[in-house]
Amino acid sequence: MKVKGAFIKDTFREIKNSFGRFLSIFAIIALGCGFFSGIKVTMSDMQDSAADYFVENNLMDLKLVSTYGVKSDEISAIKKIDNVEGVMAAYSKDVFCENNGENDIIKVMSFNDGFSKDDTDYMNHPVVVEGRLPKRAGECVVDDKFKSDKNYAIGKKITLLTPDENEDLKDTLVSQTYEIVGIVTSPLHIGYERDKTNVGTGNVSGFILVLETDFVNDFYSEIFVSFKNLDEKPFSDEYLDKLNEKKTEVINAFNSSVDDRYNKILSDSNAQIDLAKGSIATLEDFINSDLEQLQQLKQGAEDKIVELNNKISKANDNNKVLLNTELAQTKSKLEQVDTMIYAKTTNDVEIINGFATQLIEAKEQLSEAELALEEINPPQTYESNRYSSDDYGSFIGDSEKVDSIAKVFPVFFILVAALVCLTTMTRMIEEQRIQIGTYKALGYSPMKIMSKYLVYALVASVLGSLIGTALGLYILPKVIYSCYKILYNIPEINTPFKINYALACMAVSVICTGGAVAFSCYKELLSQPAQLMRPRAPKKGKRVILEKVKIIWNRLDFLAKVTVRNLLRYKKRFFMTIIGVAGCTALILTGLGLKYSITSIIDLEFKNVFVYDGIVAMNVENFSSDEAYSIVTNNNNIVKSLETYQTSAEASANDENQAIS
């Protein structure tokens, strides 16, 4: 028992006496595990943090828009579907906002302060960065994208302008001037790219939120939908597959409701045309008929009234409405006949001319109704989801880039760590040949002797892997995401400790260090104690292949010849050094390459791709005007210009939509 205790004590005394060597194994293992786990977990931490942000602020799953707007019929139709969890309709309007002599394109969006945060119908919660949300008419909050612009600071007032000269902004908004009371971010825009628009340059500069009651439209602009049991990670293919499966019924219900409104508009327009045609025919009959024909018309109207009264007495409630309408029209016709009979009997020119005027007005109404019918186009509906946003796709791509780096970059650290452990433990065991021989002479088994060095290495690797992994999981994702923070407005990344990464890193570390110990001890433990207790005989000197190349060998001095012979004598150390230096050089080269590839894009982008300094946007109807174009071309400060036509559209492929310009 005492022998066993002495062996254990000697094992831990070895750690104390060679603490520098122990610390080097610990540090390289911690560094390798920290880099591997930190970089590898960054993608999942970024996506999980974004997913939590979406859940907390109830980001929509589907957005629907139609050229006929959105009314309560569509909201009710979608709410009836079982898979739907929440439905929220909202207003929006693209306008101009004057800023230092230029017109910023602003998307004005509605904010409903009547919802509670837990209401499933309340989606896309704005996140307050500074100030507060609007509480009364005339207040607004602005996009976080504008926070560095003094003209959009809290307390400032902004004036909105209509982009269409033929439109009055008061037909959409209660006020044109709003006071800024806060700065917000929106889960609809996780980055700094905004929607496309047909206004101005085609790119929205940012958004503002106003109370829903500040809009005076008689229909909503868009409708947002969230689905039940859509619990998959929002950046996964499973989420998109489930969304595509669930959205079909919602889109069909939305389209059906919009089509019903369209058909109702068509029906009403046709009814107005029929009514106008009927009025024209009646008035023409009155004007062109003599007294005898008017008497016949009167008799026909009276008979019709009697017939309708009989039908009404026997009809059900639904039919009575239509019959009463027809009865009122017949009575009106009878009154007009009596009036015309009186006018022709007394030769009252004023009344006769009045009927002629009514005929002209009826023909004008018919012309207007037919023109309006021609302008009624079939409705177009558009759908979009989270993946439709450029920011959303960019976030997925950027997080996956980090994961791609994690497949290669940390491997160098693991390889260097394994080589350092192998070199260190080999040298340690070679230095302790006499001690190993003493242990064998005292009767310790080879496994018992090896256990001393295994404990030495495993304590360093276990502690190093645990501490390195913990620091890597916490620090590296934060450092990497801080670089992406300039592109995205998602709050700080969450970095939970993930036990599976800690166990995996520990297993790899134990295998590497344990294997190095076993490899180093194996040859020594095969020798007899008497051999081990004597110093190892120097390796037999050998001629190296370079000695045969006399033109080189004869020119080397003594130390150079010794160095060449030692390099080839200790081949293991030689190759370890080469691999270690090569790995470290590759890491440095990778870091410099990443830095250069990122910074050089800026120059390429704005010197070779986008070579213009500014865009001047004009109304489409004025663009062909020579006067409007000459304002630009005759400016002495402009060297070159190119006229283009630009509009926004949406491309669709494989059930995915993408906004394009």
Side-chain angles (χ1 to χ4, degrees):
M1 189 72 182
K2 287 185 178 179
V3 174
K4 183 178 180 181
F7 184 82
I8 294 173
K9 187 180 294 185
D10 185 58
T11 300
F12 286 97
R13 187 183 290 119
E14 186 65 38
I15 295 175
K16 179 181 177 182
N17 293 338
S18 60
F19 189 71
R21 178 177 288 158
F22 177 86
L23 192 62
S24 68
I25 298 174
F26 167 86
I28 196 66
I29 291 291
L31 188 64
C33 292
F35 265 91
F36 173 77
S37 60
I39 297 176
K40 188 67 180 174
V41 83
T42 298
M43 182 186 81
S44 60
D45 280 354
M46 285 177 66
Q47 294 192 359
D48 290 344
S49 299
D52 293 341
Y53 176 68
F54 297 155
V55 171
E56 182 182 356
N57 297 293
N58 199 16
L59 177 61
M60 61 86 193
D61 294 310
L62 184 68
K63 173 184 170 183
L64 298 171
V65 178
S66 88
T67 51
Y68 279 68
V70 176
K71 289 203 169 186
S72 57
D73 295 339
E74 286 76 60
I75 300 172
S76 301
I78 295 174
K79 279 190 173 182
K80 292 176 183 177
I81 299 173
D82 292 336
N83 285 327
V84 171
E85 183 173 56
V87 180
M88 185 183 82
Y91 298 100
S92 66
K93 176 69 176 176
D94 294 337
V95 299
F96 283 147
C97 181
E98 196 276 332
N99 182 15
N100 291 329
E102 297 181 359
N103 282 330
D104 290 335
I105 303 172
I106 303 293
K107 188 179 186 72
V108 185
M109 300 192 298
S110 65
F111 164 70
N112 191 333
D113 61 344
F115 285 116
S116 66
K117 193 164 186 179
D118 298 328
D119 195 328
T120 55
D121 288 334
Y122 179 32
M123 283 176 264
N124 314 321
H125 305 168
V127 179
V128 178
V129 177
E130 295 178 29
R132 60 174 176 83
L133 292 172
K135 294 181 180 179
R136 60 182 67 89
E139 292 183 343
C140 74
V141 290
V142 299
D143 192 346
D144 179 61
K145 190 177 177 181
F146 291 134
K147 67 181 178 183
S148 59
D149 193 329
K150 294 180 180 179
N151 292 327
Y152 292 99
I154 294 176
K156 294 280 188 178
K157 289 189 176 182
I158 57 174
T159 300
L160 307 180
L161 306 171
T162 176
D164 187 349
E165 297 175 356
N166 300 320
E167 180 185 15
D168 189 350
L169 197 58
K170 290 183 179 179
D171 294 336
T172 304
L173 293 167
V174 171
S175 174
Q176 289 184 247
T177 303
Y178 287 89
E179 181 183 358
I180 300 172
V181 296
I183 299 173
V184 298
T185 62
S186 170
L188 286 170
H189 304 288
I190 61 175
Y192 292 95
E193 290 294 326
R194 296 296 177 259
D195 299 331
K196 301 295 182 183
T197 177
N198 286 323
V199 173
T201 61
N203 295 307
V204 173
S205 303
F207 65 84
I208 68 170
L209 293 178
V210 302
L211 289 176
E212 187 174 295
T213 51
D214 276 8
F215 279 87
V216 293
N217 286 10
D218 58 354
F219 55 83
Y220 291 101
S221 308
E222 54 217 4
I223 189 167
F224 300 103
V225 182
S226 62
F227 292 97
K228 297 176 183 175
N229 304 320
L230 203 59
D231 302 325
E232 286 75 10
K233 291 187 176 181
F235 298 101
S236 66
D237 292 335
E238 291 78 14
Y239 167 84
L240 194 56
D241 291 341
K242 264 199 171 182
L243 175 63
N244 290 334
E245 179 185 334
K246 291 174 178 288
K247 73 179 184 181
T248 304
E249 190 176 358
V250 170
I251 293 172
N252 290 339
F254 181 75
N255 289 341
S256 177
S257 179
V258 174
D259 287 340
D260 287 344
R261 284 202 288 122
Y262 167 68
N263 292 330
K264 177 70 166 55
I265 292 170
L266 277 183
S267 176
D268 291 345
S269 296
N270 285 321
Q272 287 181 355
I273 290 173
D274 292 340
L275 185 62
K277 286 180 177 178
S279 297
I280 291 170
T282 301
L283 289 168
E284 286 177 342
D285 284 342
F286 290 167
I287 294 170
N288 298 327
S289 298
D290 55 25
L291 285 172
E292 183 179 351
Q293 291 171 327
L294 289 172
Q295 290 293 342
Q296 291 174 356
L297 290 173
K298 178 179 179 181
Q299 185 61 46
E302 290 173 344
D303 293 342
K304 184 71 172 178
I305 291 172
V306 173
E307 180 186 348
L308 289 171
N309 282 325
N310 291 332
K311 286 182 178 180
I312 290 171
S313 63
K314 299 175 183 177
N316 56 34
D317 291 338
N318 291 332
N319 290 333
K320 279 183 179 179
V321 175
L322 297 174
L323 292 172
N324 281 322
T325 302
E326 189 176 355
L327 178 62
Q329 292 174 348
T330 307
K331 287 181 176 179
S332 175
K333 181 178 179 181
L334 180 59
E335 291 178 1
Q336 289 179 318
V337 172
D338 286 336
T339 303
M340 196 64 181
I341 290 172
Y342 170 78
K344 289 205 171 184
T345 302
T346 60
N347 199 22
D348 192 329
V349 178
E350 186 176 348
I351 295 176
I352 295 173
N353 290 339
F355 275 95
T357 302
Q358 290 180 32
L359 178 60
I360 294 171
E361 292 175 352
K363 288 181 177 180
E364 290 176 353
Q365 290 174 359
L366 175 62
S367 178
E368 291 174 359
E370 289 175 338
L371 185 61
L373 182 62
E374 290 177 3
E375 294 177 351
I376 297 175
N377 297 314
Q380 298 291 326
T381 59
Y382 304 94
E383 54 150 318
S384 58
N385 54 43
R386 299 175 182 181
Y387 283 84
S388 303
S389 167
D390 292 341
D391 294 334
Y392 200 89
S394 297
F395 188 85
I396 297 173
D398 288 336
S399 63
E400 289 176 346
K401 286 173 190 173
V402 178
D403 191 56
S404 298
I405 293 173
K407 293 176 182 176
V408 180
F409 195 69
V411 174
F412 289 114
F413 286 97
I414 300 295
L415 182 61
V416 170
L419 290 173
V420 169
C421 291
L422 181 60
T423 305
T424 304
M425 294 310 300
T426 300
R427 184 172 296 174
M428 178 181 178
I429 289 167
E430 286 179 353
E431 291 173 356
Q432 296 193 2
R433 274 173 51 85
I434 297 174
Q435 193 171 349
I436 292 172
T438 304
Y439 282 140
K440 289 197 74 173
L442 290 173
Y444 286 100
S445 66
M447 285 303 300
K448 186 69 175 178
I449 297 170
M450 188 186 293
S451 67
K452 171 185 176 179
Y453 301 101
L454 282 173
V455 169
Y456 185 98
L458 295 181
V459 169
S461 63
V462 170
L463 289 176
S465 62
L466 285 176
I467 294 174
T469 302
L471 292 175
L473 291 175
Y474 179 75
I475 296 173
L476 269 180
K478 287 183 177 292
V479 172
I480 294 171
Y481 184 67
S482 67
C483 300
Y484 282 114
K485 199 75 171 66
I486 61 173
L487 300 176
Y488 304 105
N489 54 33
I490 294 175
E492 292 300 320
I493 188 172
N494 299 321
T495 55
F497 183 79
K498 297 185 177 180
I499 189 67
N500 54 331
Y501 281 92
L503 294 175
C505 289
M506 186 191 299
V508 172
S509 303
V510 167
I511 291 171
C512 286
T513 54
V517 170
F519 179 80
S520 303
C521 287
Y522 178 72
K523 278 189 177 181
E524 304 295 345
L525 292 174
L526 289 177
S527 303
Q528 295 299 321
Q531 292 176 303
L532 293 170
M533 293 174 72
R534 292 195 300 269
R536 185 190 292 275
K539 282 189 176 183
K540 184 180 178 180
K542 295 181 181 179
R543 289 183 177 275
V544 297
I545 193 170
L546 194 62
E547 291 186 43
K548 296 180 180 180
V549 186
K550 299 297 184 180
I551 193 171
I552 298 176
W553 184 258
N554 292 336
R555 294 176 182 276
L556 298 178
D557 59 19
F558 176 75
L559 287 178
K561 292 178 179 178
V562 171
T563 302
V564 171
R565 283 174 175 160
N566 284 339
L567 283 173
L568 298 178
R569 177 182 292 181
Y570 303 105
K571 293 182 180 66
K572 184 168 66 176
R573 294 179 184 176
F574 171 68
F575 285 112
M576 282 185 184
T577 303
I578 289 177
I579 294 171
V581 172
C584 293
T585 304
L587 290 176
I588 295 171
L589 185 63
T590 303
L592 293 174
L594 286 172
K595 180 181 178 182
Y596 175 76
S597 64
I598 293 171
T599 55
S600 62
I601 287 175
I602 298 172
D603 291 334
L604 292 172
E605 184 83 0
F606 294 104
K607 288 184 179 179
N608 299 339
V609 180
F610 295 108
V611 295
Y612 61 83
D613 295 313
I615 296 175
V616 177
M618 308 179 194
N619 288 339
V620 176
E621 58 268 20
N622 294 333
F623 186 78
S624 58
S625 169
D626 293 336
E627 182 181 359
Y629 183 58
S630 65
I631 294 173
V632 176
T633 55
N634 293 336
N635 191 311
N636 295 329
N637 294 321
I638 296 175
V639 178
K640 292 181 180 179
S641 64
L642 174 69
E643 61 272 24
T644 62
Y645 177 80
Q646 180 172 311
T647 188
S648 298
E650 191 169 88
S652 178
N654 300 325
D655 295 327
E656 293 186 18
N657 297 323
Q658 182 73 39
I660 61 172
S661 179

